[in-house]
Amino acid sequence: MNVKLLSGALGAEISGINLKDSSKENYERINNLLLEHKVIFFRNQDITHQEQIALAQNWGPLENHAYVKGLDKYPEIVRIIKTREEKNQWGENWHTDVSYNVKPTKAVILKSIKIPPVGGDTCFSNMELAWETLDEEIKEKIKNKKAIHSSLGAEFFIDNYKGMSGHEQRNYDEYSNEHPIVRTHPETGKKILYVNWTYTKKIIGLDKNESDEILKKIFEHQARLDLTCRFNWTENAVAMWDNRSVIHYAIADFYPGRGLGYERIMDRIAIEGDQPN
Ligand SMILES: [Fe+2]
């Protein structure tokens, strides 16, 4: 096995592990790598839908997305499609997946199916480091507070993306849940800064102006490039991230004459997490 670190902050590209092997031993090796590096990447992994599902089930029950319909035969797999002429793509701003749920996703296994010749990298940012390096005054203000996370409703996930479709019985309603701003990782015990630009709307117990001002500073801090790594996709690559301790950003740099004009297709499986505390 070879481990190539992607940046000084987080992320590693792993070679010498076969993801078709969903044994307990392989799971433990991968989970240790995941906890250490927070996001890990594997190339040339030609795994089937069943193999991707079997691998993911090692971490626990799989999630179905509240708004987005999965594949007909495999509802646990959401196919993320950016059509050729679309500039925008799913997941194109800083977020952690489904933080608006009572139990947000533990981890995601994302496999690339079709990748444009240029554009569409994914960035990840380390939220343990973000907490450690956050301004002390802000830390003091938020350390025992909770924030409201909004699901934004079905339109946000479907209507702006031609390739994405909702469940047959479409539920459009927005809903929200509150989570501690600083959560403790259930496996490592580390503190994690658990808010994100996309879904976190307000700090509970502060008036709106103060909440907006602090959240703005936190979001800027979380996006500092020295907390991040960036993955350049190839087809049949697999990314797996610890959705508790990173935020991520699918870069939509599909501009005419360069990145525009190509499809980008990914298969996503999410594993259920715990209630943050
Ligand atoms: Fe995402």
Side-chain angles (χ1 to χ4, degrees):
M1 182 180 75
N2 187 48
V3 177
K4 180 180 163 254
L5 301 186
L6 272 198
S7 81
L10 81 164
E13 195 171 320
I14 313 294
S15 52
I17 284 189
N18 181 1
L19 298 183
K20 286 177 183 283
D21 173 3
S22 56
S23 67
K24 192 152 193 306
E25 295 73 43
N26 208 31
Y27 154 71
E28 277 166 8
R29 273 207 299 174
I30 298 169
N31 193 45
N32 288 336
L33 290 163
L34 181 66
L35 294 177
E36 181 177 352
H37 303 292
K38 299 182 176 59
V39 55
I40 48 181
F41 305 96
F42 306 84
R43 293 196 195 267
N44 304 314
Q45 299 278 346
D46 189 14
I47 55 173
T48 63
H49 294 319
Q50 293 95 323
E51 286 165 342
Q52 190 179 355
I53 290 169
L55 179 71
Q57 281 171 334
N58 276 306
W59 276 266
L62 307 183
E63 265 177 15
N64 285 329
H65 199 276
Y67 300 115
V68 181
K69 188 173 175 291
L71 296 178
D72 284 338
K73 274 197 180 162
Y74 303 100
E76 317 83 331
I77 300 181
V78 166
R79 178 154 282 193
I80 302 170
I81 299 173
K82 184 200 87 74
T83 58
R84 289 163 65 95
E85 295 310 318
E86 276 182 298
K87 156 71 177 74
N88 48 333
Q89 74 175 339
W90 220 61
E92 61 193 282
N93 267 303
W94 284 116
H95 66 285
T96 185
D97 287 344
V98 305
S99 67
Y100 44 81
N101 281 350
V102 175
K103 293 179 171 182
T105 307
K106 177 193 283 182
V108 174
I109 300 181
L110 187 63
K111 177 178 185 281
S112 56
I113 307 294
K114 210 158 187 197
I115 293 298
V118 66
D121 291 359
T122 306
C123 276
F124 295 82
S125 185
N126 181 338
M127 291 301 104
E128 253 179 54
L129 280 181
W131 172 250
E132 280 172 27
T133 56
L134 187 64
D135 175 83
E136 288 299 329
E137 251 177 61
I138 297 179
K139 273 186 170 177
E140 232 4 81
K141 275 192 180 154
I142 63 170
K143 67 180 181 189
N144 295 315
K145 291 204 163 46
K146 289 185 166 187
I148 298 171
H149 296 244
S150 161
S151 72
L152 307 175
E155 293 88 341
F156 176 78
F157 293 96
I158 297 162
D159 292 359
N160 291 327
Y161 309 102
K162 290 195 191 93
M164 309 298 290
S165 51
H167 294 297
E168 264 103 57
Q169 288 204 313
R170 287 181 75 163
N171 167 21
Y172 274 93
D173 295 344
E174 181 270 351
Y175 60 92
S176 56
N177 279 292
E178 21 184 276
H179 296 301
I181 295 178
V182 190
R183 70 179 289 189
T184 305
H185 195 289
E187 289 176 76
T188 65
K190 293 283 179 59
K191 300 273 183 222
I192 297 160
L193 183 57
Y194 195 68
V195 291
N196 67 85
W197 183 91
T198 302
Y199 303 126
T200 309
K201 297 304 162 195
K202 188 171 183 303
I203 299 172
I204 297 168
L206 298 183
D207 68 48
K208 184 159 186 324
N209 286 346
E210 191 178 15
S211 166
D212 285 351
E213 200 180 299
I214 293 177
L215 283 177
K216 184 168 181 278
K217 283 184 187 159
I218 293 176
F219 297 152
E220 281 168 8
H221 176 71
Q222 289 176 311
R224 278 172 49 173
L225 294 179
D226 50 327
L227 300 175
T228 68
C229 71
R230 177 169 175 153
F231 185 63
N232 176 242
W233 290 92
T234 44
E235 287 177 7
N236 282 327
V238 172
M240 179 164 193
W241 64 89
D242 183 339
N243 192 58
R244 300 162 293 195
S245 56
V246 303
I247 58 172
H248 57 282
Y249 189 130
I251 301 173
D253 53 343
F254 305 112
Y255 293 101
R258 292 181 68 95
L260 193 65
Y262 306 94
E263 268 185 318
R264 181 178 183 274
I265 302 176
M266 303 286 207
D267 280 347
R268 171 189 182 276
I269 297 183
I271 301 136
E272 267 178 34
D274 304 317
Q275 184 164 7
N277 59 40

